[in-house]
Amino acid sequence: MAVSGLRLFYSAVLKRPVEDLQGCLPRTRQPKRRPRVYSREELAQLFAACQDWRFRPFLLTVYGAGLRLNEACHLRVADIESNRMMVRIERGKGAKDRYSILSPWLLEELRAYYRCCRPKHWLFPSRRDPARPMIAGTAQKLFCEALQKAALPNRGGIHCLRHSFATHLLEEGCDLITLKKLLGHSNFVTTANYIAVTRERLRGLPSPLDPPCSPEAS
C-alpha cells in the first residue's frame, strides 16, 4: 500500500514519470509456488495408459532423465550414451551442456523405439517433418491426452515430470549438489525448493502432539 501511494503521489502530484522510481522502491513480493509432483504409482498409471508407442518413450525420457520440455524435444540419437549410461543435454537452459542419468529400463524402451521408428538425427522428430524436432505444443497436447486416459489431474503440464524426477531422487537419498548438476540449475536455492515436497522428510518430522505432550504420556 505504501509503494502504491508513493507511485500515485509521484505521478499525480509531482507530475513525474513513474519509471524514474525504478530501483528506488521495493518490489512487490511474488507468491512462492512449490513444485507439484506425481507419485510413483500415478506415474506407473500414466505410462501404462499412454498407448502411443512413439510418445511413450518421450514421456519416459522426460521423467527418467529429469529434462525440460525443450531439452527433450531437441535430443539427438547420439545424445543417448549407452556405454556410459548417461544422457547428454546440449545447450540446455542458459546455453549450458550437462549430463543426466540413463536407467536400464529407459534404455530398453528407447532401443525398442529406435528399432520401430529408426530416427536419423533427432531422437524424437516431428511427425510432419522428420528433419525437425518434435514441437513442444504437440508434446503438451499428447501429455494431456495421456493424463485423461490415465484419469489423472493436470498439475502443471509435462514439466511436472521433471519435478517428480527431482523429488523422487531426493526421497531416495540423492544429495542436493548431485541433483543440482542433473537438473542444470544455476542457483542452489532453486534445487533446495524440492526439499519441501519430499514425502520421506515430512514423514520423519515429529508432531508437537507426540510424547511427552500426548495425552497417553500424561
Side-chain angles (χ1 to χ4, degrees), residues 36-39 43 63 159-169 194:
R36 302 179 66 187
V37 302
Y38 293 99
S39 67
L43 289 176
Y63 170 68
H159 198 70
C160 283
L161 297 182
R162 174 175 160 90
H163 293 325
S164 302
F165 165 86
T167 303
H168 296 163
L169 274 186
Y194 290 104

Side-chain angles (χ1 to χ4, degrees), residues 116-141:
C116 294
C117 296
R118 294 290 178 179
K120 296 181 179 179
H121 179 71
W122 302 110
L123 182 60
F124 302 107
S126 169
R127 299 187 179 186
R128 294 185 177 181
D129 184 3
R132 304 184 64 180
M134 179 183 291
I135 301 174
T138 301
Q140 288 283 18
K141 179 182 178 182

Side-chain angles (χ1 to χ4, degrees), residues 4-152:
S4 298
L6 287 171
R7 289 179 179 274
L8 179 62
F9 174 78
Y10 207 77
S11 59
V13 179
L14 299 182
K15 306 298 183 180
R16 298 181 62 179
V18 181
E19 290 74 15
D20 293 345
L21 291 175
Q22 296 294 335
C24 301
L25 297 177
R27 295 181 179 180
T28 304
R29 290 186 176 181
Q30 298 295 328
K32 293 184 178 180
R33 297 183 178 181
R34 297 298 182 185
R36 302 179 66 187
V37 302
Y38 293 99
S39 67
R40 290 177 175 83
E41 295 76 16
E42 288 175 326
L43 289 176
Q45 185 177 341
L46 172 66
F47 299 144
C50 185
Q51 300 177 356
D52 190 326
W53 54 273
R54 288 179 295 181
F55 187 62
R56 172 186 159 94
F58 182 87
L59 290 182
L60 291 170
T61 304
V62 173
Y63 170 68
L67 304 181
R68 298 179 179 93
L69 176 56
N70 187 65
E71 293 171 347
C73 289
H74 287 83
L75 276 180
R76 302 168 304 171
V77 176
D79 292 332
I80 306 301
E81 301 185 6
S82 57
N83 57 328
R84 302 175 61 196
M85 295 304 292
M86 302 183 78
V87 179
R88 177 177 173 82
I89 301 99
E90 285 196 353
R91 300 186 62 81
K93 189 175 182 180
K96 295 183 298 184
D97 298 346
R98 74 179 193 278
Y99 282 94
S100 188
I101 53 179
L102 174 63
S103 75
W105 178 36
L106 176 57
L107 179 59
E108 291 302 316
E109 289 276 348
L110 290 176
R111 282 174 172 169
Y113 161 77
Y114 181 82
R115 288 192 293 268
C116 294
C117 296
R118 294 290 178 179
K120 296 181 179 179
H121 179 71
W122 302 110
L123 182 60
F124 302 107
S126 169
R127 299 187 179 186
R128 294 185 177 181
D129 184 3
R132 304 184 64 180
M134 179 183 291
I135 301 174
T138 301
Q140 288 283 18
K141 179 182 178 182
L142 293 174
F143 175 71
C144 292
E145 293 176 356
L147 286 178
Q148 292 179 353
K149 293 179 180 179
L152 292 175

Side-chain angles (χ1 to χ4, degrees), residues 65-66 98-101 165 169 174 178-184:
R98 74 179 193 278
Y99 282 94
S100 188
I101 53 179
F165 165 86
L169 274 186
C174 179
T178 301
L179 183 61
K180 177 178 178 294
K181 292 182 178 180
L182 292 176
L183 295 175

